[in-house]
Amino acid sequence: MPPIIDVADPAVCLSTLVEQARRGEDIVISCNGVPSARIVPVRPSLNHTIQMILEERAKRCASTVAENRAARDTGRR
């Protein structure tokens, strides 16, 4: 169950709640103890996700396309 935060709580800071949502948490906002709203993380777009995957793969594999082809073709001739 997501945490319930009362809007009247003086310790509530929107930037903190948004940061929690960015980390994947759902937050329920209540008014006088009645749940009224929810802050949820936004799913990244498919293009953004693909870009992140490609960047992660590039970090893991430092070889170039030419180096990969040369390794593949070694001993073929």
Side-chain angles (χ1 to χ4, degrees), residues 11-63:
V12 173
C13 178
L14 181 60
S15 62
T16 302
L17 297 177
V18 170
E19 185 56 37
Q20 289 174 333
R22 288 183 67 198
R23 289 194 307 259
E25 298 178 43
D26 288 2
I27 297 107
V28 174
I29 306 295
S30 68
C31 186
N32 297 324
V34 178
S36 304
R38 182 184 307 256
I39 299 175
V40 296
V42 175
R43 293 183 187 174
S45 69
L46 181 58
N47 288 338
H48 178 71
T49 303
I50 291 170
Q51 185 63 35
M52 288 175 30
I53 291 169
L54 292 175
E55 289 173 4
E56 185 61 32
R57 284 184 179 174
K59 289 178 191 175
R60 293 180 184 178
C61 182
S63 62

